[in-house]
Amino acid sequence: MEIKAVVDRIENGYAILKSEDYEMEICIPADDSDSRYFEGENITLLLNGNVENNG
């Protein structure tokens, strides 16, 4: 599965992504001092078929 999203903001150690295709927010680990993610940046997440429930 491919999810295209935009970095909305960085807060509390997470990059908050918004996906218009799925109308949801996605949180991925990111340090505030980490320059890997920038607000407004487009990101594509690729998810494989392995289903695991960690919750």
Side-chain angles (χ1 to χ4, degrees), residues 11-55:
E11 67 180 24
N12 299 323
Y14 291 92
I16 312 300
L17 312 178
K18 286 194 174 181
S19 171
E20 292 182 14
D21 294 338
Y22 296 97
E23 298 180 12
M24 66 179 166
E25 286 189 344
I26 302 163
C27 301
I28 58 175
D31 190 331
D32 290 337
S33 64
D34 188 355
S35 60
R36 284 188 284 178
Y37 304 104
F38 299 97
E39 193 172 314
E41 179 180 12
N42 291 311
I43 292 181
T44 301
L45 301 173
L46 298 174
L47 307 176
N48 65 22
N50 295 336
V51 176
E52 182 177 325
N53 184 354
N54 292 320

